[in-house]
Amino acid sequence: MTAGPQDVEHVVRTIAQTALDNETYFGELDSVVGDGDFGYSLARGFEKVVEGWDDIDRTDPGTFLKKVGMIIASRVGGTSGPLWGTAFLRAGSTAGASAELTGEQVVAMLRAAADGIKARGQSDVGDKTLLDVLVPFTDRLEEELTGGADGGAALAAATRTAREAADATSEMVARKGRASYTGERSRGSVDAGAMALAVIAERLTQSWTTEGAS
C-alpha cells in the first residue's frame, strides 16, 4: 500500500464532501445529548477547505495536510475545530516531506492524529469520543497490512471495525464535552464524532472500490 499526493488530496476531498453531505445527520446525532452544532460546525470548516482548495500548498502531502489542519482549526467552531485541526496537523507533521506514503507511514500518521486528539481534548479511549473509532480503526488497519492484506482489503476490514466501534459507543457514558453533563442519560445514543468517522471510513472504502487507488 502506498499513497501519493493525489491519493492524499482525494482522501481529504472525500472527507470534506462527507462532512458536507451529512451535516444534518451529524447534527441530529449530536442533538440527542449534546448541543447539536457538531454537523454544522464540521461542515462549515470543510466548506472553507473546499472553497480555498486551489490555494492550499501542495509542496508535499505533509505540507498539504498541515495547511488543511490550520484551516479547520481556525474555521470549525466549538471543540471540534481544535480537535480535528490538531488531527490533521499531527498527521501532516508525521508525514513530513515524503512524496509517497507507505502503509506503515499512514498508520503512524493516524496514531499521531489520535495522540494529538488525546492531548488536546484531555481524553482517551472509553470516554465516548471519536477516539473510540479512530484507535480501533487504526489498530485493525495496521493488523491487516502487517498480515499482508492489500490496501483495499485492509481499509475495508478497518472500516467494518469502525462501524462496530461507533455503534458500541451507544453503550458508553460520555465523559467529555456537553454530553458528559447528562451522565447516565448519554447511554443509549451513539457519539456523533465517532459515527462521523465511521461514515467517513465507509465513504472512503466505497470510493476505493469504485474509483480505485494505489
Side-chain angles (χ1 to χ4, degrees), residues 57-68:
D57 190 341
R58 289 167 168 74
T59 301
D60 50 62
T63 298
F64 175 72
L65 290 171
K66 286 186 285 186
K67 294 297 183 182
V68 169

Side-chain angles (χ1 to χ4, degrees), residues 88-101:
F88 277 90
L89 287 166
R90 290 291 188 93
S93 295
T94 301
S98 299
E100 292 282 337
L101 301 171

Side-chain angles (χ1 to χ4, degrees), residues 16-213:
Q17 193 59 54
T18 304
L20 292 170
D21 291 345
N22 290 276
E23 177 181 345
T24 300
Y25 174 52
F26 294 160
E28 289 173 346
L29 291 177
D30 187 44
S31 67
V32 178
V33 291
D35 50 21
D37 68 345
F38 172 67
Y40 176 84
S41 297
L42 197 66
R44 297 292 77 75
F46 279 107
E47 188 174 59
K48 290 297 182 183
V49 171
V50 172
E51 288 176 357
W53 189 258
D54 292 336
D55 298 323
I56 301 176
D57 190 341
R58 289 167 168 74
T59 301
D60 50 62
T63 298
F64 175 72
L65 290 171
K66 286 186 285 186
K67 294 297 183 182
V68 169
M70 291 172 65
I71 295 173
I72 294 173
S74 64
R75 296 293 185 175
V76 177
T79 59
S80 297
L83 295 179
W84 286 69
T86 295
F88 277 90
L89 287 166
R90 290 291 188 93
S93 295
T94 301
S98 299
E100 292 282 337
L101 301 171
T102 65
E104 184 177 354
Q105 285 176 298
V106 170
V107 169
M109 290 161 62
L110 291 170
R111 295 215 182 282
D115 287 343
I117 292 171
K118 289 178 182 180
R120 192 62 185 264
Q122 294 297 296
S123 57
D124 208 335
V125 174
D127 288 338
K128 194 168 184 171
T129 70
L130 72 168
L131 288 170
D132 290 300
V133 167
L134 180 56
V135 172
F137 172 86
T138 304
D139 289 344
R140 183 65 184 276
L141 184 66
E142 182 177 37
E143 177 185 340
E144 294 293 326
L145 291 174
T146 301
D150 63 35
L155 178 59
T159 295
R160 291 192 295 272
T161 293
R163 169 58 72 165
E164 293 168 359
D167 288 339
T169 62
S170 66
E171 301 304 316
M172 297 178 178
V173 174
R175 297 194 179 96
K176 296 293 176 180
R178 182 66 62 84
S180 65
Y181 302 154
T182 65
E184 279 292 331
R185 288 199 297 112
S186 65
R187 196 189 301 275
S189 60
V190 299
D191 177 71
M195 185 56 72
L197 281 184
V199 172
I200 287 169
E202 288 169 347
R203 184 70 69 86
L204 288 170
T205 297
Q206 180 184 33
S207 176
W208 187 299
T209 302
T210 58
E211 300 176 34

